[in-house]
Amino acid sequence: QVQLVESGGGVVQAGGSLRLSCVGTGLPFNTLTMGWFRQAPEKEREFVAAITWSGVHTYSADSVKGRFTISRDNAKNMVYLQMNSLKPEDTALYYCAAGRGSWPLILGGEYDYWGQGTQVTVSS
């Protein structure tokens, strides 16, 4: 059974940092592109960042470039999202996802597996 489980969310003040983690089980983790998406209340889900199976290439949304960093550890089946200089507009439910498609995968429909999400709340 495929599972992606996120952790690391919480409440943080503006300007603070959080590191999200996602562990994958039951899937060929080290062959898949991994991505992070987020969805704020009453807004559509949006792409945050993605990383190739090897970790060599990453791609981030303009809204988080220079603040968020995606990384992975294939030995542990883990993908991470380091979030610095957080802003209230970063408040959302953050999901990790795994996909087989062609790089870069920035559309939600290109991903095959999804986690349940972890909540990030940034207070002003």
Short mmCIF file of all heavy atoms in Angstrom, two decimals, residues 71-122:
data_model
loop_
_atom_site.label_atom_id
_atom_site.label_comp_id
_atom_site.label_asym_id
_atom_site.label_seq_id
_atom_site.Cartn_x
_atom_site.Cartn_y
_atom_site.Cartn_z
N SER A 71 14.49 19.25 -0.69
CA SER A 71 15.61 18.30 -0.74
C SER A 71 15.06 16.91 -0.48
O SER A 71 13.89 16.76 -0.11
CB SER A 71 16.69 18.66 0.30
OG SER A 71 16.15 18.60 1.61
N ARG A 72 15.89 15.90 -0.68
CA ARG A 72 15.43 14.53 -0.46
C ARG A 72 16.58 13.66 0.01
O ARG A 72 17.75 13.96 -0.24
CB ARG A 72 14.79 13.96 -1.73
CG ARG A 72 15.74 13.72 -2.87
CD ARG A 72 14.95 13.38 -4.16
NE ARG A 72 14.24 12.11 -4.04
CZ ARG A 72 13.24 11.75 -4.87
NH1 ARG A 72 12.86 12.57 -5.84
NH2 ARG A 72 12.64 10.57 -4.71
N ASP A 73 16.21 12.57 0.66
CA ASP A 73 17.16 11.55 1.11
C ASP A 73 16.57 10.21 0.68
O ASP A 73 15.68 9.67 1.35
CB ASP A 73 17.35 11.62 2.62
CG ASP A 73 18.39 10.65 3.13
OD1 ASP A 73 18.73 9.69 2.40
OD2 ASP A 73 18.86 10.84 4.26
N ASN A 74 17.04 9.70 -0.44
CA ASN A 74 16.47 8.46 -0.97
C ASN A 74 16.76 7.26 -0.08
O ASN A 74 16.00 6.29 -0.08
CB ASN A 74 16.99 8.20 -2.38
CG ASN A 74 16.34 9.12 -3.41
OD1 ASN A 74 15.30 9.72 -3.15
ND2 ASN A 74 16.97 9.24 -4.56
N ALA A 75 17.82 7.30 0.69
CA ALA A 75 18.13 6.20 1.59
C ALA A 75 17.07 6.07 2.68
O ALA A 75 16.87 4.99 3.24
CB ALA A 75 19.50 6.40 2.21
N LYS A 76 16.40 7.18 2.98
CA LYS A 76 15.38 7.18 4.02
C LYS A 76 13.97 7.33 3.45
O LYS A 76 13.00 7.42 4.22
CB LYS A 76 15.64 8.33 5.00
CG LYS A 76 16.96 8.21 5.76
CD LYS A 76 17.15 9.38 6.71
CE LYS A 76 18.45 9.26 7.47
NZ LYS A 76 18.66 10.41 8.39
N ASN A 77 13.86 7.39 2.14
CA ASN A 77 12.56 7.62 1.49
C ASN A 77 11.90 8.91 2.00
O ASN A 77 10.69 8.94 2.26
CB ASN A 77 11.60 6.43 1.71
CG ASN A 77 11.89 5.28 0.78
OD1 ASN A 77 12.96 5.22 0.16
ND2 ASN A 77 10.97 4.34 0.68
N MET A 78 12.72 9.94 2.14
CA MET A 78 12.23 11.19 2.71
C MET A 78 12.41 12.34 1.72
O MET A 78 13.40 12.39 0.98
CB MET A 78 13.00 11.54 3.98
CG MET A 78 12.86 10.56 5.11
SD MET A 78 11.27 10.64 5.93
CE MET A 78 11.37 12.24 6.71
N VAL A 79 11.48 13.27 1.75
CA VAL A 79 11.61 14.54 1.06
C VAL A 79 11.30 15.64 2.07
O VAL A 79 10.48 15.45 2.97
CB VAL A 79 10.69 14.62 -0.18
CG1 VAL A 79 9.23 14.53 0.21
CG2 VAL A 79 10.96 15.90 -0.97
N TYR A 80 12.01 16.75 1.93
CA TYR A 80 11.91 17.82 2.90
C TYR A 80 11.58 19.15 2.21
O TYR A 80 11.89 19.34 1.04
CB TYR A 80 13.24 17.99 3.65
CG TYR A 80 13.75 16.72 4.28
CD1 TYR A 80 14.72 15.95 3.64
CD2 TYR A 80 13.27 16.29 5.51
CE1 TYR A 80 15.20 14.78 4.20
CE2 TYR A 80 13.74 15.12 6.09
CZ TYR A 80 14.70 14.37 5.43
OH TYR A 80 15.17 13.22 6.00
N LEU A 81 10.98 20.03 2.99
CA LEU A 81 10.77 21.40 2.52
C LEU A 81 11.20 22.33 3.65
O LEU A 81 10.52 22.42 4.67
CB LEU A 81 9.32 21.66 2.14
CG LEU A 81 9.05 23.02 1.51
CD1 LEU A 81 9.72 23.11 0.13
CD2 LEU A 81 7.55 23.29 1.38
N GLN A 82 12.36 22.95 3.48
CA GLN A 82 12.84 23.92 4.44
C GLN A 82 12.23 25.27 4.09
O GLN A 82 12.44 25.77 2.98
CB GLN A 82 14.36 24.02 4.41
CG GLN A 82 14.95 25.05 5.35
CD GLN A 82 14.71 24.73 6.81
OE1 GLN A 82 14.88 23.59 7.23
NE2 GLN A 82 14.32 25.72 7.60
N MET A 83 11.50 25.83 5.03
CA MET A 83 10.79 27.09 4.79
C MET A 83 11.34 28.16 5.72
O MET A 83 11.22 28.05 6.94
CB MET A 83 9.29 26.90 5.01
CG MET A 83 8.70 25.76 4.20
SD MET A 83 6.91 25.67 4.34
CE MET A 83 6.73 25.28 6.07
N ASN A 84 11.94 29.19 5.14
CA ASN A 84 12.49 30.30 5.90
C ASN A 84 11.75 31.59 5.56
O ASN A 84 11.04 31.66 4.55
CB ASN A 84 13.97 30.46 5.58
CG ASN A 84 14.80 29.24 5.95
OD1 ASN A 84 14.48 28.53 6.91
ND2 ASN A 84 15.85 29.00 5.18
N SER A 85 11.93 32.58 6.39
CA SER A 85 11.31 33.90 6.16
C SER A 85 9.82 33.76 5.86
O SER A 85 9.30 34.33 4.90
CB SER A 85 12.02 34.63 5.00
OG SER A 85 13.39 34.78 5.28
N LEU A 86 9.15 32.99 6.68
CA LEU A 86 7.74 32.71 6.43
C LEU A 86 6.89 33.96 6.54
O LEU A 86 7.17 34.87 7.35
CB LEU A 86 7.25 31.63 7.40
CG LEU A 86 7.67 30.21 7.02
CD1 LEU A 86 7.59 29.28 8.22
CD2 LEU A 86 6.82 29.70 5.88
N LYS A 87 5.85 33.98 5.72
CA LYS A 87 4.92 35.11 5.67
C LYS A 87 3.51 34.60 5.97
O LYS A 87 3.21 33.43 5.74
CB LYS A 87 4.93 35.73 4.26
CG LYS A 87 6.30 36.16 3.77
CD LYS A 87 6.23 36.63 2.33
CE LYS A 87 7.60 37.05 1.81
NZ LYS A 87 7.53 37.49 0.39
N PRO A 88 2.65 35.47 6.44
CA PRO A 88 1.26 35.04 6.69
C PRO A 88 0.61 34.41 5.45
O PRO A 88 -0.19 33.48 5.60
CB PRO A 88 0.57 36.34 7.09
CG PRO A 88 1.65 37.14 7.73
CD PRO A 88 2.88 36.85 6.93
N GLU A 89 0.97 34.87 4.28
CA GLU A 89 0.37 34.30 3.07
C GLU A 89 0.88 32.90 2.75
O GLU A 89 0.39 32.26 1.80
CB GLU A 89 0.61 35.22 1.86
CG GLU A 89 2.05 35.65 1.65
CD GLU A 89 2.34 37.02 2.26
OE1 GLU A 89 1.87 37.30 3.40
OE2 GLU A 89 3.04 37.81 1.58
N ASP A 90 1.84 32.40 3.51
CA ASP A 90 2.28 31.01 3.36
C ASP A 90 1.39 30.05 4.14
O ASP A 90 1.55 28.83 4.04
CB ASP A 90 3.72 30.84 3.85
CG ASP A 90 4.73 31.61 3.00
OD1 ASP A 90 4.59 31.59 1.76
OD2 ASP A 90 5.64 32.21 3.59
N THR A 91 0.46 30.59 4.91
CA THR A 91 -0.46 29.75 5.67
C THR A 91 -1.29 28.88 4.74
O THR A 91 -1.93 29.38 3.81
CB THR A 91 -1.38 30.63 6.53
OG1 THR A 91 -0.60 31.31 7.51
CG2 THR A 91 -2.45 29.79 7.22
N ALA A 92 -1.23 27.57 4.96
CA ALA A 92 -1.93 26.63 4.09
C ALA A 92 -1.74 25.22 4.61
O ALA A 92 -0.92 24.98 5.50
CB ALA A 92 -1.38 26.72 2.66
N LEU A 93 -2.47 24.31 4.01
CA LEU A 93 -2.25 22.88 4.21
C LEU A 93 -1.24 22.45 3.15
O LEU A 93 -1.47 22.67 1.96
CB LEU A 93 -3.55 22.11 4.07
CG LEU A 93 -3.56 20.63 4.42
CD1 LEU A 93 -3.18 20.43 5.89
CD2 LEU A 93 -4.93 20.03 4.14
N TYR A 94 -0.13 21.89 3.59
CA TYR A 94 0.95 21.51 2.68
C TYR A 94 0.93 20.01 2.43
O TYR A 94 0.89 19.22 3.38
CB TYR A 94 2.30 21.92 3.26
CG TYR A 94 2.58 23.40 3.12
CD1 TYR A 94 1.89 24.33 3.89
CD2 TYR A 94 3.52 23.86 2.22
CE1 TYR A 94 2.13 25.69 3.75
CE2 TYR A 94 3.78 25.22 2.07
CZ TYR A 94 3.08 26.12 2.83
OH TYR A 94 3.33 27.47 2.69
N TYR A 95 0.99 19.64 1.15
CA TYR A 95 0.94 18.25 0.74
C TYR A 95 2.23 17.87 0.04
O TYR A 95 2.78 18.66 -0.74
CB TYR A 95 -0.18 18.02 -0.26
CG TYR A 95 -1.57 18.33 0.22
CD1 TYR A 95 -2.12 19.59 0.06
CD2 TYR A 95 -2.35 17.33 0.81
CE1 TYR A 95 -3.40 19.87 0.48
CE2 TYR A 95 -3.65 17.60 1.24
CZ TYR A 95 -4.16 18.87 1.06
OH TYR A 95 -5.43 19.14 1.49
N CYS A 96 2.69 16.64 0.26
CA CYS A 96 3.73 16.13 -0.61
C CYS A 96 3.09 15.15 -1.60
O CYS A 96 2.03 14.59 -1.34
CB CYS A 96 4.88 15.47 0.15
SG CYS A 96 4.58 13.83 0.79
N ALA A 97 3.74 15.02 -2.74
CA ALA A 97 3.22 14.20 -3.81
C ALA A 97 4.36 13.54 -4.56
O ALA A 97 5.49 14.06 -4.57
CB ALA A 97 2.38 15.05 -4.77
N ALA A 98 4.06 12.41 -5.19
CA ALA A 98 5.06 11.66 -5.96
C ALA A 98 4.52 11.42 -7.37
O ALA A 98 3.34 11.07 -7.52
CB ALA A 98 5.36 10.34 -5.27
N GLY A 99 5.40 11.59 -8.36
CA GLY A 99 4.94 11.43 -9.73
C GLY A 99 5.99 10.82 -10.65
O GLY A 99 7.20 10.92 -10.39
N ARG A 100 5.51 10.21 -11.74
CA ARG A 100 6.38 9.54 -12.70
C ARG A 100 6.60 10.34 -13.98
O ARG A 100 7.38 9.93 -14.83
CB ARG A 100 5.78 8.20 -13.11
CG ARG A 100 5.56 7.21 -12.00
CD ARG A 100 5.06 5.88 -12.60
NE ARG A 100 4.88 4.86 -11.58
CZ ARG A 100 3.76 4.67 -10.92
NH1 ARG A 100 2.72 5.43 -11.15
NH2 ARG A 100 3.67 3.71 -10.01
N GLY A 101 5.91 11.44 -14.11
CA GLY A 101 5.91 12.13 -15.39
C GLY A 101 7.21 12.81 -15.73
O GLY A 101 8.22 12.70 -15.02
N SER A 102 7.18 13.55 -16.84
CA SER A 102 8.37 14.24 -17.34
C SER A 102 8.60 15.52 -16.57
O SER A 102 7.68 16.29 -16.33
CB SER A 102 8.22 14.53 -18.84
OG SER A 102 8.05 13.34 -19.57
N TRP A 103 9.87 15.74 -16.27
CA TRP A 103 10.29 16.94 -15.54
C TRP A 103 10.06 18.19 -16.35
O TRP A 103 10.30 18.20 -17.56
CB TRP A 103 11.77 16.81 -15.20
CG TRP A 103 12.33 17.97 -14.47
CD1 TRP A 103 13.08 18.99 -14.98
CD2 TRP A 103 12.16 18.24 -13.07
NE1 TRP A 103 13.39 19.87 -13.99
CE2 TRP A 103 12.84 19.45 -12.81
CE3 TRP A 103 11.49 17.60 -12.03
CZ2 TRP A 103 12.88 20.00 -11.52
CZ3 TRP A 103 11.54 18.15 -10.77
CH2 TRP A 103 12.23 19.35 -10.53
N PRO A 104 9.66 19.31 -15.73
CA PRO A 104 9.26 19.43 -14.33
C PRO A 104 7.77 19.15 -14.16
O PRO A 104 6.98 19.45 -15.03
CB PRO A 104 9.58 20.89 -14.01
CG PRO A 104 9.34 21.60 -15.30
CD PRO A 104 9.71 20.63 -16.38
N LEU A 105 7.44 18.58 -13.05
CA LEU A 105 6.04 18.30 -12.76
C LEU A 105 5.52 19.42 -11.87
O LEU A 105 5.82 19.48 -10.68
CB LEU A 105 5.89 16.96 -12.03
CG LEU A 105 5.85 15.71 -12.89
CD1 LEU A 105 7.17 15.49 -13.58
CD2 LEU A 105 5.52 14.50 -12.03
N ILE A 106 4.76 20.33 -12.44
CA ILE A 106 4.25 21.45 -11.66
C ILE A 106 2.73 21.47 -11.57
O ILE A 106 2.16 22.30 -10.88
CB ILE A 106 4.76 22.81 -12.22
CG1 ILE A 106 4.28 23.00 -13.65
CG2 ILE A 106 6.28 22.87 -12.16
CD1 ILE A 106 4.61 24.39 -14.19
N LEU A 107 2.08 20.55 -12.26
CA LEU A 107 0.63 20.45 -12.20
C LEU A 107 0.24 19.30 -11.29
O LEU A 107 0.81 18.21 -11.36
CB LEU A 107 0.04 20.23 -13.59
CG LEU A 107 0.32 21.32 -14.62
CD1 LEU A 107 -0.25 20.92 -15.97
CD2 LEU A 107 -0.23 22.66 -14.15
N GLY A 108 -0.76 19.53 -10.47
CA GLY A 108 -1.19 18.49 -9.56
C GLY A 108 -1.59 17.22 -10.27
O GLY A 108 -1.34 16.11 -9.78
N GLY A 109 -2.20 17.35 -11.44
CA GLY A 109 -2.66 16.18 -12.19
C GLY A 109 -1.53 15.30 -12.70
O GLY A 109 -1.78 14.17 -13.13
N GLU A 110 -0.30 15.80 -12.63
CA GLU A 110 0.85 15.01 -13.11
C GLU A 110 1.38 14.09 -12.03
O GLU A 110 2.27 13.29 -12.29
CB GLU A 110 1.96 15.96 -13.56
CG GLU A 110 1.57 16.83 -14.75
CD GLU A 110 2.67 17.78 -15.14
OE1 GLU A 110 2.99 18.69 -14.34
OE2 GLU A 110 3.23 17.62 -16.24
N TYR A 111 0.86 14.23 -10.81
CA TYR A 111 1.34 13.42 -9.70
C TYR A 111 0.41 12.24 -9.46
O TYR A 111 -0.81 12.34 -9.61
CB TYR A 111 1.46 14.27 -8.43
CG TYR A 111 2.66 15.18 -8.49
CD1 TYR A 111 2.61 16.39 -9.18
CD2 TYR A 111 3.86 14.82 -7.87
CE1 TYR A 111 3.73 17.21 -9.25
CE2 TYR A 111 4.97 15.64 -7.93
CZ TYR A 111 4.90 16.83 -8.62
OH TYR A 111 6.01 17.65 -8.69
N ASP A 112 1.02 11.12 -9.06
CA ASP A 112 0.28 9.87 -8.91
C ASP A 112 -0.13 9.58 -7.47
O ASP A 112 -1.12 8.88 -7.25
CB ASP A 112 1.15 8.71 -9.42
CG ASP A 112 1.55 8.90 -10.88
OD1 ASP A 112 0.67 8.76 -11.74
OD2 ASP A 112 2.74 9.19 -11.14
N TYR A 113 0.64 10.06 -6.54
CA TYR A 113 0.38 9.74 -5.14
C TYR A 113 0.43 11.03 -4.31
O TYR A 113 1.26 11.90 -4.57
CB TYR A 113 1.41 8.75 -4.60
CG TYR A 113 1.55 7.50 -5.42
CD1 TYR A 113 2.65 7.31 -6.24
CD2 TYR A 113 0.58 6.51 -5.40
CE1 TYR A 113 2.79 6.17 -7.01
CE2 TYR A 113 0.70 5.36 -6.16
CZ TYR A 113 1.82 5.20 -6.97
OH TYR A 113 1.94 4.07 -7.73
N TRP A 114 -0.43 11.06 -3.27
CA TRP A 114 -0.53 12.25 -2.43
C TRP A 114 -0.59 11.86 -0.97
O TRP A 114 -1.16 10.82 -0.61
CB TRP A 114 -1.81 13.03 -2.78
CG TRP A 114 -1.76 13.66 -4.11
CD1 TRP A 114 -2.04 13.07 -5.31
CD2 TRP A 114 -1.39 15.01 -4.41
NE1 TRP A 114 -1.87 13.97 -6.34
CE2 TRP A 114 -1.47 15.17 -5.80
CE3 TRP A 114 -0.99 16.10 -3.63
CZ2 TRP A 114 -1.18 16.38 -6.44
CZ3 TRP A 114 -0.69 17.29 -4.25
CH2 TRP A 114 -0.79 17.43 -5.64
N GLY A 115 -0.03 12.75 -0.13
CA GLY A 115 -0.19 12.60 1.30
C GLY A 115 -1.45 13.30 1.77
O GLY A 115 -2.19 13.88 0.97
N GLN A 116 -1.68 13.26 3.08
CA GLN A 116 -2.88 13.85 3.67
C GLN A 116 -2.68 15.33 4.03
O GLN A 116 -3.67 16.03 4.28
CB GLN A 116 -3.29 13.07 4.91
CG GLN A 116 -3.73 11.65 4.61
CD GLN A 116 -4.95 11.62 3.72
OE1 GLN A 116 -5.97 12.24 4.01
NE2 GLN A 116 -4.87 10.91 2.60
N GLY A 117 -1.44 15.76 4.09
CA GLY A 117 -1.18 17.16 4.36
C GLY A 117 -0.79 17.46 5.79
O GLY A 117 -1.14 16.72 6.71
N THR A 118 -0.07 18.54 5.95
CA THR A 118 0.29 19.06 7.27
C THR A 118 0.05 20.56 7.27
O THR A 118 0.40 21.25 6.31
CB THR A 118 1.75 18.71 7.62
OG1 THR A 118 2.04 19.11 8.96
CG2 THR A 118 2.76 19.36 6.68
N GLN A 119 -0.56 21.06 8.34
CA GLN A 119 -0.98 22.46 8.39
C GLN A 119 0.17 23.37 8.82
O GLN A 119 0.86 23.10 9.81
CB GLN A 119 -2.15 22.62 9.36
CG GLN A 119 -2.63 24.05 9.52
CD GLN A 119 -3.27 24.60 8.25
OE1 GLN A 119 -3.99 23.87 7.55
NE2 GLN A 119 -3.05 25.87 7.96
N VAL A 120 0.34 24.43 8.07
CA VAL A 120 1.30 25.48 8.42
C VAL A 120 0.52 26.77 8.61
O VAL A 120 -0.23 27.18 7.72
CB VAL A 120 2.36 25.65 7.32
CG1 VAL A 120 3.23 26.88 7.60
CG2 VAL A 120 3.23 24.41 7.21
N THR A 121 0.69 27.38 9.77
CA THR A 121 0.03 28.64 10.06
C THR A 121 1.08 29.67 10.46
O THR A 121 1.86 29.42 11.39
CB THR A 121 -0.99 28.49 11.19
OG1 THR A 121 -1.96 27.50 10.82
CG2 THR A 121 -1.70 29.81 11.46
N VAL A 122 1.10 30.79 9.74
CA VAL A 122 2.07 31.84 10.01
C VAL A 122 1.31 33.05 10.54
O VAL A 122 0.46 33.61 9.85
CB VAL A 122 2.86 32.21 8.75
CG1 VAL A 122 3.94 33.25 9.09
CG2 VAL A 122 3.49 30.98 8.12
#
